[in-house]
Amino acid sequence: MIYFVAFLSGVVLFHFHDYFPFTSALLFLPAALLFFRRGRRAALILLVLGALYPVLRHAPAEGLPFRSGSVNASGHFSAPAVELRKGYAQEFDLAGGGGRIEVHSEEPFEIGREYELNLRIISPYPRNNPGALPPGQFAVLGYVRKTGGLSRSVAFSLNRLRDRLNRAITGRFDPETASLVMAVTTGHRASMSYSLKDDFRRSGLAHLLSISGTHFGLLFLLLFGAFRFAVLRLPMGALEKLTVYLTPSQAAALLCLPFLLLYLGISGMRVPTVRSFVMISLFLFGLLVGRKGTWLNFLVLAALVLVLWDPGVMAGLSFQLSFLAVLFIGFFLSGSRAGGGAEGQFGPEEEKLKESRFRAALRYPVKSFGITFAATLGVAPLIAHYFNYLSVISPLSNLVVTPLVCMVLVPFSVLGSFIYLVTGSFVFAPLVSWAAGAAAYLAGAFASVPYSSVPVPAFPPAVLVFYYAGFLAYFATRKRGVLLVPAAAVLVPLAVAAASPDRGLSVTFLDAGRGDASVVELPDGKVLAVDTGSRGWELRRYLRHRGIEKIDVLVLTHQDHYHVGGASSIAWQYDVGEVWDNGAVDYHDDFPREPVRKSLKRGDTARGEGYVIEVLNPPGGCSGTRNDCSLVMKVAGERASFLFLGDIGPGAMKELLPLGERLRSDAARFSDHGAWEDAHGEFVEAVSPSVAYVRGRPDEQKERYLKKARVIYSYDAGAAKAEETPGGLRVVTYVGDARLAKAEGLHQEMQNLRRLFAAW
């Protein structure tokens, strides 16, 4: 196994090298020296090959052959369509290995049939915000130019089976049940409602929605037991002939393999699914050769297979969560077996028997709780880092719901699907419907328990490094003192956060593309969201990154899609206390409930501990252009003030000039609408900001008027955070101060190392 680990370590160093080239070299040298001194020259060679393999395996990605505009493209639709609010989204494989793109259309298309399409390519630029995901390129269908023949390849055939099953499941169950059945059977989760996903997330059961080792393992056990039972009841003559070549267990294992292959095919072949299939296949191989206990070898070999297939898989969250969960569970089970003691050494035989029965009765819940606790230890920090929540109730909910899903819902939905593909009849539909409904109900019940999950604000990535390094050292040495390292990795940041003084008022201006979105965190703990962007994506992801679950006030400056387009999306996913607007915004019909609405005008104020909020525009009644009706709001703390201007133009700026000193602010957010005029210069002079956050790209004309301020452009700097501190206004940008960047020298690497120990 040491040779496999050496190769995988080399791949890890390759991914590490882009951001920390000098540190990766310092890690490589002692590892190479250790292998050389111990005579492990083959391991040393594999370490070097592992570092070179990603370069040899993949040429630098060139992306799709087009970036924007209208193009003609030929190829095949390769996966089932996903229904959107309007129309469908479906993956389209370009002919000649030209890549894959998501196509939005009004109707779904047949999988595997050749099409020539006219497409309008959409390439959104990335949003540089904390917690943001890179946007994917997609295309909008113009029209179908030509339709060709149907491909009979295995991949297209399997995806046609997936599509057929999805249609059958959708037609036989209610929408909520169907979405859960499809998630565990075909891997299709796009139709699942946000509330159901959130229930599984809060209750710590989200892993059940992704087909992984648990699903494959339980299906294998069910099939293995059934086939072994059938083999042992063969006529004596047939059984004797069979056992000349195979044991009953080996025969049952071989019979399981085609069913597991079919499940792999209809489930979408995602990373957790492939990893699980590889693990189960290796276990079957172990049965066939009589070696089934080397779980760690199987895990490492599964990782090797996946990395050889795609070296970039190691950088994916799915890979990391899957392998860490299995690793921690494996060490827990091997440790519990190693530490078992003698039972019933004292007392009469009858007492020994009672005690052994009592222990046997406790064995399942105790071991089940231990397994879920071990898995939680393995994945909780990663989940908290990427998803900013921690499910406290997870060990209990998994003890109850996981057996129901994995021992009833998954086996019978998968077996029912196999039978349906052959006969056209879904024979286990009533049982599957009951199991899915019960699982959804229990997930909701656990999620509704107070404090079942807690939000986790962003924390320094270095916490993950020390946490997992400490546990790996413990697994290697079994010295309990080493556990102080992961304990300190968790406790020290908590202690620092608890001891750090209140920094007061802070504002984060988000990069929302052509739109606006900002988050104000007030000294008394309340949160204001000022505008939402066009869809609310940037605001939603940033709030999650900060561990914020409630918006006390949602401020909508004016009726413009790029400012209020995401309002309903935010209201559906967050508890919104009040909505402030300028009296001319129409939005609440799309809200889940009628909000507490306040239409504000010049002179309205709100006060709290350490801050004052003052409305400067509109003067009363919304007259003039829509942009000039924007709600202009000044938030002043004890040491700094912030001005939000919406999209006001020269006309509104001239009307605001008589306010004089009330306009002065330390930081202001400006729009990029139109060419700036002298009115803008007069207005900027009145505001006199030390920091100006401007939507869009650098502009010489704007800089001429903003020459006395530090100008931050959203396109270059991404999000910017300004907060009042005892020493004055502190400003950081996401691109310049928080995001890891590829290091081309020691100075850039030192900046990346510093960023590992900082959180937004």
Side-chain angles (χ1 to χ4, degrees):
M1 185 177 70
I2 186 64
Y3 301 108
F4 296 160
V5 172
F7 183 85
L8 293 173
S9 299
V11 178
V12 171
L13 286 174
F14 168 82
H15 290 296
F16 199 60
H17 178 269
D18 281 347
Y19 303 98
F20 308 99
F22 294 95
T23 305
S24 59
L26 290 175
L27 292 173
F28 175 83
L29 290 174
L33 182 61
L34 181 65
F35 286 140
F36 182 80
R37 291 188 63 181
R38 294 192 174 184
R40 302 272 191 176
R41 290 177 174 79
L44 174 58
I45 293 172
L46 286 171
L47 178 68
V48 175
L49 285 177
L52 296 176
Y53 180 72
V55 180
L56 301 174
R57 175 68 174 79
H58 286 302
E62 297 179 358
L64 296 172
F66 33 71
R67 296 300 302 167
S68 61
S70 180
V71 299
N72 296 326
S74 59
H76 305 79
F77 286 98
S78 58
V82 175
E83 190 169 0
L84 306 174
R85 286 187 178 181
K86 294 182 180 180
Y88 297 85
Q90 198 166 1
E91 291 180 349
F92 186 71
D93 287 355
L94 299 170
R100 175 177 294 177
I101 191 168
E102 182 181 280
V103 174
H104 293 195
S105 60
E106 294 182 357
E107 59 181 359
F109 288 88
E110 187 175 4
I111 297 170
R113 187 169 297 281
E114 185 179 2
Y115 291 97
E116 186 176 340
L117 309 175
N118 175 264
L119 302 173
R120 181 165 58 89
I121 308 301
I122 308 296
S123 300
Y125 82 86
R127 303 290 192 258
N128 290 310
N129 298 312
L133 296 177
Q137 188 182 49
F138 66 96
V140 177
L141 177 65
Y143 55 90
V144 178
R145 292 171 54 87
K146 187 188 298 184
T147 301
L150 186 66
S151 171
R152 300 293 178 182
S153 72
V154 174
F156 287 138
S157 298
L158 287 172
N159 275 323
R160 281 195 287 270
L161 289 180
R162 287 183 69 209
D163 192 39
R164 182 182 166 195
L165 280 175
N166 286 340
R167 294 174 185 272
I169 292 169
T170 303
R172 281 165 173 75
F173 303 102
D174 64 81
E176 199 84 324
T177 301
S179 66
L180 182 53
V181 173
M182 285 190 289
V184 301
T185 308
T186 66
H188 178 82
R189 299 192 299 273
S191 59
M192 188 170 291
S193 68
Y194 174 81
S195 60
L196 184 59
K197 288 181 182 178
D198 195 52
D199 284 344
F200 273 81
R201 178 183 69 85
R202 289 178 177 274
S203 57
L205 299 167
H207 64 95
L208 295 177
L209 302 178
S210 176
I211 297 173
S212 60
T214 310
H215 304 72
F216 270 92
L218 268 297
L219 179 63
F220 164 70
L221 288 178
L222 181 67
L223 292 172
F224 180 79
F227 285 134
R228 192 173 185 277
F229 178 84
V231 168
L232 289 174
R233 277 149 185 81
L234 289 172
M236 185 57 67
L239 185 61
E240 287 178 350
K241 290 180 181 179
L242 176 66
T243 52
V244 172
Y245 305 99
L246 298 170
T247 67
S249 294
Q250 291 171 336
L254 280 177
L255 290 171
C256 288
L257 190 57
F259 291 91
L260 295 176
L261 272 170
L262 184 57
Y263 187 31
L264 174 68
I266 66 173
S267 63
M269 299 185 68
R270 292 181 175 86
V271 170
T273 314
V274 175
R275 184 265 308 164
S276 305
F277 175 76
V278 172
M279 287 285 293
I280 293 298
S281 299
L282 291 173
F283 182 75
L284 293 178
F285 178 76
L287 283 180
L288 293 175
V289 300
R291 297 184 63 187
K292 57 181 179 181
T294 54
W295 68 270
L296 188 56
N297 292 338
F298 291 159
L299 180 64
V300 174
L301 185 55
L304 180 66
V305 170
L306 289 176
V307 168
L308 289 174
W309 177 29
D310 178 11
V313 75
M314 296 189 78
L317 179 60
S318 177
F319 177 95
Q320 296 163 11
L321 289 175
S322 299
F323 276 85
L324 284 170
V326 175
L327 184 70
F328 274 68
I329 290 172
F331 276 113
F332 166 77
L333 291 176
S334 61
S336 63
R337 284 195 297 269
E343 297 182 10
Q345 297 180 9
F346 305 101
E349 292 298 323
E350 185 176 346
E351 291 298 321
K352 291 183 186 178
L353 184 60
K354 287 181 180 179
E355 184 181 359
S356 63
R357 287 176 179 172
F358 177 72
R359 290 190 176 185
L362 286 179
R363 188 173 300 145
Y364 170 75
V366 170
K367 182 166 284 190
S368 297
F369 183 84
I371 288 172
T372 56
F373 183 73
T376 300
L377 273 181
V379 302
L382 267 184
I383 290 175
H385 179 69
Y386 283 99
F387 301 109
N388 301 103
Y389 79 93
L390 187 63
S391 177
V392 180
I393 207 170
S394 173
L396 179 59
S397 62
N398 275 278
L399 198 63
V400 176
V401 182
T402 298
L404 173 64
V405 172
C406 293
M407 300 183 73
V408 181
L409 177 58
V410 170
F412 285 99
S413 64
V414 173
L415 291 177
S417 298
F418 291 164
I419 295 171
Y420 170 79
L421 292 175
V422 176
T423 67
S425 176
F426 209 108
V427 294
F428 298 121
L431 179 58
V432 169
S433 179
W434 171 84
Y441 172 79
L442 290 170
F446 280 114
S448 64
V449 174
Y451 306 107
S452 59
S453 68
V454 294
V456 180
F459 53 85
V463 171
L464 297 177
V465 177
F466 288 106
Y467 182 88
Y468 288 112
F471 266 111
L472 289 176
Y474 168 71
F475 292 148
T477 63
R478 290 294 183 179
K479 294 181 179 179
R480 294 184 179 178
V482 178
L483 291 176
L484 291 174
V485 176
V490 175
L491 295 177
V492 169
L494 290 176
V496 170
S500 60
D502 181 13
R503 293 184 175 179
L505 176 65
S506 73
V507 173
T508 298
F509 303 110
L510 295 175
D511 173 14
R514 295 176 63 185
D516 273 7
S518 302
V519 176
V520 182
E521 297 177 62
L522 298 168
D524 59 3
K526 292 183 178 179
V527 174
L528 273 69
V530 183
D531 288 331
T532 65
S534 60
R535 296 191 179 183
W537 292 346
E538 300 88 359
L539 178 59
R540 186 166 65 247
R541 293 194 179 280
Y542 178 74
L543 291 173
R544 188 178 70 180
H545 180 79
R546 291 285 298 136
I548 296 171
E549 293 191 312
K550 180 181 179 181
I551 300 174
D552 295 280
V553 179
L554 176 60
V555 181
L556 303 177
T557 58
H558 64 299
Q559 185 74 49
D560 185 304
H561 175 71
Y562 291 107
H563 289 252
V564 302
S568 62
S569 171
I570 294 298
W572 275 99
Q573 298 185 34
Y574 285 90
D575 179 13
V576 177
E578 297 179 359
V579 178
W580 297 354
D581 61 35
N582 65 352
V585 180
D586 182 18
Y587 57 85
H588 56 276
D589 287 344
D590 295 331
F591 276 34
R593 58 180 176 83
E594 183 71 23
V596 177
R597 179 178 183 178
K598 294 183 178 180
S599 297
L600 305 179
K601 62 182 183 301
R602 183 181 299 170
D604 289 333
T605 59
R607 298 177 181 273
E609 184 179 349
Y611 65 91
V612 177
I613 302 173
E614 183 181 7
V615 177
L616 305 179
N617 194 68
C622 191
S623 60
T625 67
R626 184 174 61 184
N627 285 343
D628 279 352
C629 284
S630 294
L631 192 69
V632 174
M633 186 177 68
K634 180 178 177 179
V635 183
E638 294 179 349
R639 306 181 189 92
S641 56
F642 305 87
L643 189 63
F644 299 89
L645 296 168
D647 277 343
I648 61 169
M653 289 180 178
K654 288 180 180 179
E655 291 184 7
L656 288 171
L657 286 176
L659 296 179
E661 210 45 49
R662 291 165 63 186
L663 288 174
R664 291 196 178 275
S665 304
D666 295 287
R669 178 164 193 156
F670 293 88
S671 75
D672 62 345
H673 277 303
W676 279 28
E677 306 171 6
D678 289 341
H680 289 82
E682 292 181 61
F683 185 76
V684 170
E685 189 69 28
V687 176
S688 297
S690 58
V691 175
Y693 187 83
V694 182
R695 181 177 69 217
R697 300 171 183 266
D699 184 285
E700 292 182 3
Q701 189 178 31
K702 294 182 180 64
E703 289 186 5
R704 181 161 59 90
Y705 292 117
L706 293 167
K707 58 187 176 182
K708 295 182 181 179
R710 175 188 174 185
V711 185
I712 301 173
Y713 292 97
S714 63
Y715 186 84
D716 285 344
K721 183 176 184 178
E723 56 186 349
E724 59 175 8
T725 67
L729 193 66
R730 176 177 176 266
V731 180
V732 294
T733 66
Y734 178 65
V735 173
D737 301 291
R739 188 184 67 180
L740 290 179
K742 289 191 176 182
E744 298 179 356
L746 182 59
H747 176 69
Q748 290 172 311
E749 178 167 354
M750 295 303 294
Q751 286 184 321
N752 283 339
L753 287 171
R754 178 179 55 81
R755 290 164 185 168
L756 287 180
F757 292 87
W760 187 271

